[in-house]
């Protein structure tokens, strides 16, 4: 019983008795030592080799991650330093990783071409109104799907989810015809154009799905208790469910706001008038690609102005953003 | 009680159903209808009847006659379709593999993990147009890319750049922009994998690569399927990346030159010039292609995905 060998390929594993069983019935398992021997190398050398291998692989993992992180962060860094360079330095054949002369004036100059306050205001109007609308419709629909019983519930929910598979271009074509034929797209029709940028985005199937999952986790007992208290469904929704689902609602709010900030395609189609443009459209149209020699310093100053608010939002609400986005991968 | 709930439920759903009826379901049917109408003009709502020619026109098989000459549309068949497929075939696998490696790496470390995680998520919260313009500066002929790789003077995206060069720059940008979402999804999937599987693999003396291929990938297969489906759909629809990076559909001073067209770029251009019947035909074909790709993936996943 001193050695319990079992062989596999070249590897040999056995338990060595180091006095565990001496003169006693009780086996002191602490004194049993597992010995693994591969082609006559001892435990110490194997342990040492494993340790070295582990350190090497950890170093390799870190090296890979750091290199990739630099690749990710480089465009941000390049944007910021280019926004502070002179045009000659930007176009020099020897690129510099720090501006020789810091040109704060690029920022002042870019505002002459890129009407940041106007676009910011437009984007916030569209973003906030469409976000509030979405939150309201989403809360109602998620409540109905999570809490209420009605015929055809599962079928309807499945149809809703299936619409997420359809490329948006299918809808965009007719939606454009709809808003155009309703006379919403006139040059001076501010209300029409803004409504066209807002109303179609008051529904999001994905957020309904997200909130429904969250509502479903709220225990039924709370619902029955509020029923016993004589509270209506309406009361229960606003007093119990909405406060409990607040983290998800904040996630939806921020993601939706970011969506408006980044939306380009639809606003580009409906907002012809310079004064109604949102921030992405304003950015692209202020610096068209047909410019003979684009002034990259000014362009990058403008992109910094567009990018930094989002990054700030991300830093402050990192938890909500990453949770809201990450939830998509967990199939429910 | 059941009955009372019944109409109340529909009341709660009313806003969503009305909005989706107007902006999702009706458009879907209407767009399919328009794609079969000849010479449809949306401003007047007139057309000259039912036809299959819109599809043939978009694919360059049938020309339109005006003033005795027949002109064919070649931009879609020559540029938009090949470009879109190149983007799909190059960026989807590449971004999935890189994202998977980064996620596995992040999952195996402790020190500075959250800092790195935050950095890797940053491209997600950026504006596609703004970052596209940054990549345009990086890919300038005297830009950072050429400086680092010693290819000073090469045109990547400027007027006169070759299609292959512009496509390369575009794919670099798309992969960069596509990584964060995938990393986040993979990472949240990895964190849910039971440690026991790795201990078992270690007992069997499986190497790192073997463990990755035989343990991690199968256990992560639901997330991989989800990411594959969404990124196939997303990259079939690439458009704003081209607008951000190049700013116009071609790498030439000639406005009519559209070597960087994508299918969706063509769709939006057609809407703007009152050719919604062609746009609809192109969109319907795109939808069918996406549908086929999605169904194939579901079919394959039946045998490969482990829930």
């Amino acid at each position: 019983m001193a050695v319990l060998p079992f062989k596999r390929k070249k590897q040999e594993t056995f338990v060595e008795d180091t006095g565990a069983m001496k003169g006693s019935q009780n086996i002191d398992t602490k004194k049993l030592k597992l010995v693994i021997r591969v082609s006559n190398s001892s435990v110490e050398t194997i342990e040492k080799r494993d340790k070295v291998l582990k350190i090497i692989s950890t170093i390799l993992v870190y090296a890979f991650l750091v290199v990739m992180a630099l690749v990710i962060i480089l465009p941000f860094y390049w944007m910021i330093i280019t926004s502070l360079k002179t045009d000659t330095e930007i176009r020099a054949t020897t690129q510099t990783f720090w501006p020789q002369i810091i040109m704060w004036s690029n920022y002042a100059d870019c505002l002459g071409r890129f009407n940041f306050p106007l676009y910011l205001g437009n984007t916030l109007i569209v973003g906030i109104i469409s976000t509030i609308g979405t939150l309201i419709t989403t809360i109602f629909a998620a409540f109905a799907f999570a809490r209420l019983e009605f015929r055809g519930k599962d079928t309807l929910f499945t149809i809703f989810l299936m619409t997420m598979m359809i490329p948006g271009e299918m809808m965009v074509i007719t939606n454009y015809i709809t808003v155009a034929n309703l006379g919403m797209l006139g040059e001076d029709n501010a209300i029409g154009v803004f409504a066209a940028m807002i109303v179609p985005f008051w529904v999001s199937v994905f957020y309904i799905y997200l909130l429904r999952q969250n509502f479903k986790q709220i225990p039924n007992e709370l619902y029955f208790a509020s029923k016993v208290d004589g509270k209506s469904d309406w009361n229960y929704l606003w007093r119990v469910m909405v406060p409990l689902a607040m983290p998800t609602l904040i996630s939806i709010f921020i993601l939706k706001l970011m969506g408006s900030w980044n939306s380009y395609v639809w606003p580009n189609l409906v907002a012809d008038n310079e004064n109604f443009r949102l921030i992405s459209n304003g950015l692209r149209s202020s610096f068209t690609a047909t410019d003979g020699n684009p002034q990259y310093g000014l362009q990058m100053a403008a992109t910094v102005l567009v990018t930094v608010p989002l990054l700030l939002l991300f830093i402050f609400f990192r938890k909500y953003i990453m949770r809201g986005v990450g939830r998509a991968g967990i199939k429910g | 009680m059941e009955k009372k709930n019944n109409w109340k439920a529909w009341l709660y759903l009313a806003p969503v159903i009305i909005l989706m009826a107007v902006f999702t379901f009706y458009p879907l049917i209407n767009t399919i209808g328009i794609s079969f109408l000849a010479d449809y003009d949306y401003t007047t709502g007139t057309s000259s009847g039912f036809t299959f020619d819109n599809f043939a026109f978009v694919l360059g098989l049938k020309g339109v006659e005006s003033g005795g000459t027949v002109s064919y549309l070649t931009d879609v068949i020559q540029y938009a379709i090949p470009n879109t497929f190149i983007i799909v075939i190059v960026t989807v696998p590449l971004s999935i593999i890189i994202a998977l490696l980064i996620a596995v790496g992040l999952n195996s470390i402790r020190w500075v993990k959250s800092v790195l995680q935050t950095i890797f998520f940053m491209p997600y919260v950026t504006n596609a147009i703004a970052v596209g313009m940054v990549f345009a500066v990086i890919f300038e002929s005297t830009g950072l890319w050429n400086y680092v790789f010693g290819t000073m003077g090469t045109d990547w995206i400027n007027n006169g750049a070759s299609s292959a060069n512009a496509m390369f720059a575009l794919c670099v940008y798309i992969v960069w922009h596509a990584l964060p979402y995938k990393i986040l999804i993979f990472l949240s999937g990895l964190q849910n994998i039971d440690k026991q599987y790795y201990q078992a693999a270690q007992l069997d003396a499986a190497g790192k690569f073997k463990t990755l291929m035989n343990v991690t990938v199968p256990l992560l297969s639901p997330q991989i399927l989800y990411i594959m489906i969404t990124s196939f759909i997303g990259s079939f629809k690439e458009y704003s990346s081209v607008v951000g990076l190049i700013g116009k559909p071609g790498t030439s001073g000639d406005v009519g030159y559209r070597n960087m067209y994508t299918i969706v770029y063509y769709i939006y251009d057609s809407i703007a010039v009152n050719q919604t019947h062609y746009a609809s035909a192109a969109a319907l074909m795109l939808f069918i292609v996406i549908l086929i790709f999605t169904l194939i993936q579901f079919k394959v996943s039946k045998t490969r995905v482990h829930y």
Side-chain angles (χ1 to χ4, degrees):
Chain A
M1 192 41 205
V3 166
L4 308 166
F6 55 93
K7 271 193 160 179
R8 223 183 68 233
K9 289 180 194 163
K10 274 184 173 174
Q11 183 174 326
E12 210 181 336
T13 309
F14 53 86
V15 178
E16 200 180 68
D17 181 6
T18 53
M21 281 174 279
K22 231 166 251 170
S24 134
Q25 291 283 66
N26 302 325
I27 297 170
D28 184 358
T29 46
K30 275 179 194 161
K31 283 186 182 167
L32 282 174
K33 194 173 165 196
L34 184 68
V35 178
I36 300 168
R37 195 178 275 164
V38 182
S39 347
N40 293 326
S41 46
S42 70
V43 185
E44 281 75 28
T45 48
I46 292 174
E47 271 181 351
K48 221 180 212 168
R49 205 187 60 194
D50 278 1
K51 225 176 197 169
V52 172
L53 273 177
K54 201 167 179 211
I55 291 169
I56 290 173
S57 80
T58 310
I59 290 171
L60 283 177
V61 167
Y62 270 105
F64 171 69
L65 289 176
V66 168
V67 168
M68 291 312 289
L70 287 177
V71 169
I72 294 293
I73 221 163
L74 193 64
F76 293 103
Y77 176 71
W78 205 250
M79 168 177 77
I80 292 167
I81 61 159
T82 307
S83 76
L84 295 170
K85 284 181 182 175
T86 60
D87 220 43
T88 36
E89 192 179 350
I90 293 166
R91 294 182 180 282
T93 45
T94 309
Q95 292 287 301
T96 48
F97 285 81
W98 188 253
Q100 286 159 343
I101 310 159
I102 295 187
M103 295 279 290
W104 292 109
S105 61
N106 280 347
Y107 282 85
D109 293 345
C110 97
L111 291 177
R113 277 181 74 174
F114 174 62
N115 196 342
F116 183 66
L118 172 78
Y119 301 135
L120 179 70
N122 287 349
T123 309
L124 285 180
I125 290 171
V126 169
I128 287 170
I129 299 177
S130 63
T131 304
I132 290 171
T134 307
L135 280 177
I136 292 170
T137 63
T138 303
I139 288 170
F140 285 163
F143 177 64
F145 280 126
R147 188 65 267 176
L148 304 177
E149 291 303 326
F150 56 97
R151 211 171 295 138
K153 179 161 115 173
D154 293 336
T155 319
L156 189 67
F157 194 61
T158 312
I159 293 172
F160 275 24
L161 288 182
M162 274 162 63
T163 61
M164 290 205 292
M165 295 276 186
I166 303 165
E169 288 67 38
M170 291 290 288
M171 286 71 141
V172 164
I173 297 167
T174 298
N175 286 341
Y176 179 74
I177 297 174
T178 306
V179 294
N181 286 345
L182 285 174
M184 290 162 84
L185 305 186
E187 269 283 300
D188 308 308
N189 190 353
I191 292 169
V193 171
F194 275 93
M197 288 195 281
I198 291 166
V199 179
F201 300 96
W202 273 347
V203 172
S204 162
V205 172
F206 177 64
Y207 295 142
I208 293 173
Y209 168 78
L210 209 64
L211 193 60
R212 183 193 90 126
Q213 299 302 95
N214 199 210
F215 277 174
K216 280 200 139 187
Q217 289 167 356
I218 297 170
N220 286 337
E221 285 72 18
L222 285 176
Y223 182 64
F224 298 130
S226 81
K227 279 275 162 194
V228 171
D229 288 348
K231 279 191 186 135
S232 62
D233 280 351
W234 178 261
N235 234 314
Y236 174 72
L237 170 61
W238 292 104
R239 292 276 168 80
V240 180
M241 285 187 121
V242 168
L244 283 176
M246 207 35 104
T248 306
L249 290 170
I250 294 173
S251 292
I252 294 175
F253 186 88
I254 296 163
L255 289 174
K256 181 84 186 170
L257 212 57
M258 278 169 45
S260 298
W261 191 268
N262 290 338
S263 72
Y264 173 82
V265 174
W266 177 255
N268 188 43
L269 214 53
V270 297
D272 272 340
N273 189 329
E274 177 74 23
N275 292 324
F276 304 154
R277 288 208 175 116
L278 301 193
I279 200 125
S280 305
N281 313 93
L283 180 64
R284 186 73 268 189
S285 66
S286 300
F287 304 97
T288 57
T290 44
D291 284 359
N293 253 341
Q295 288 171 291
Y296 281 130
L298 306 192
Q299 263 192 39
M300 289 302 106
T303 57
V304 168
L305 290 178
V306 173
T307 309
V308 164
L310 274 183
L311 288 179
L312 288 179
L313 202 70
F314 173 55
I315 288 164
F316 288 124
F317 296 97
R318 199 175 72 100
K319 204 176 68 187
Y320 292 107
I321 294 172
M322 290 179 70
R323 198 171 43 190
V325 178
R327 198 77 61 78
I330 303 154
K331 291 267 182 167
Chain B
M1 179 120 170
E2 272 285 307
K3 252 199 169 146
K4 212 174 152 197
N5 251 345
N6 218 324
W7 67 263
K8 263 193 180 167
W10 290 105
L11 213 60
Y12 280 107
L13 284 170
V16 166
I17 289 178
I18 293 168
L19 284 165
M20 282 185 74
V22 177
F23 295 112
T24 308
F25 297 119
Y26 159 69
L28 190 60
I29 296 161
N30 191 53
T31 302
I32 295 173
I34 292 173
S35 66
F36 292 104
L37 292 178
D39 307 320
Y40 179 74
D41 181 343
Y42 73 82
T43 52
T44 55
T46 54
S47 77
S48 46
F50 179 88
T51 180
F52 284 105
D53 289 353
N54 295 335
F55 298 92
F57 176 80
V58 169
L59 294 174
L61 302 171
K62 206 170 164 73
V64 279
E65 208 189 305
S66 65
T69 53
V70 181
S71 57
Y72 290 89
L73 177 79
T74 53
D75 290 337
V76 172
I77 193 76
Q78 197 183 343
Y79 300 124
I81 293 174
N83 284 346
T84 306
F85 274 88
I86 290 171
I87 291 171
V88 169
I89 291 164
V90 173
T91 65
V92 172
L94 208 59
S95 59
I96 289 179
I97 292 167
I98 296 173
L100 194 60
L101 290 175
I102 291 175
V104 170
L106 275 176
N107 198 42
S108 71
I109 62 165
R110 279 240 176 108
W111 185 66
V112 298
K113 181 182 173 176
S114 70
V115 176
L116 286 170
Q117 213 179 329
T118 307
I119 291 172
F120 284 123
F121 196 66
M122 272 166 61
Y124 187 81
V125 290
T126 53
N127 187 304
I129 302 293
V131 183
M133 287 163 68
V134 176
F135 273 80
V137 174
I138 290 174
F139 279 105
E140 251 300 312
S141 51
T142 57
L144 180 65
W145 182 278
N146 282 340
Y147 181 66
V148 170
F149 292 95
T151 49
M152 224 44 179
T154 310
D155 281 319
W156 295 98
I157 50 155
N158 300 60
N159 287 344
S162 70
S163 301
N165 279 2
M167 184 53 83
F168 177 81
L170 184 66
C171 286
V172 169
Y173 166 49
I174 291 173
V175 169
W176 182 89
H177 206 223
L179 284 178
Y181 182 66
K182 298 183 170 77
I183 295 171
L184 185 71
I185 300 288
F186 287 150
L187 201 57
S188 65
L190 284 172
Q191 279 158 354
N192 288 330
I193 294 179
D194 201 325
K195 291 273 179 295
Q196 283 181 6
Y197 293 108
Y198 291 105
Q199 286 159 0
Q202 215 170 14
L203 279 181
D204 283 347
K208 288 249 155 153
F209 184 71
K210 233 178 173 174
T211 313
L212 175 68
M213 294 312 288
N214 295 333
V215 181
T216 308
V217 170
L219 285 170
L220 206 59
S221 50
Q223 279 79 22
I224 294 175
L225 173 70
Y226 172 78
I227 284 294
M228 272 179 66
I229 290 173
T230 50
S231 44
F232 265 109
I233 296 175
S235 47
F236 267 118
K237 300 189 337 181
E238 278 305 336
Y239 162 58
S240 44
S241 52
V242 183
V243 177
L245 185 67
I246 299 163
K248 52 191 168 58
T251 52
S252 154
D254 175 11
V255 194
Y257 188 57
R258 303 199 174 91
N259 64 332
M260 292 311 288
Y261 239 15
T262 63
I263 295 174
V264 173
Y265 208 137
Y266 169 73
I267 292 173
Y268 283 108
D269 272 3
S270 304
I271 298 174
V273 293
N274 195 356
Q275 291 187 338
T276 50
H277 48 306
Y278 296 145
S280 302
L284 186 58
M285 287 190 280
L286 181 67
F287 177 34
I288 290 166
V289 170
I290 288 176
L291 202 65
I292 292 169
F293 264 76
T294 309
L295 289 177
I296 291 172
Q297 289 176 75
F298 270 123
K299 194 104 189 163
V300 173
S301 75
K302 283 238 168 73
T303 55
R304 296 276 176 84
V305 174
H306 313 271
Y307 291 103

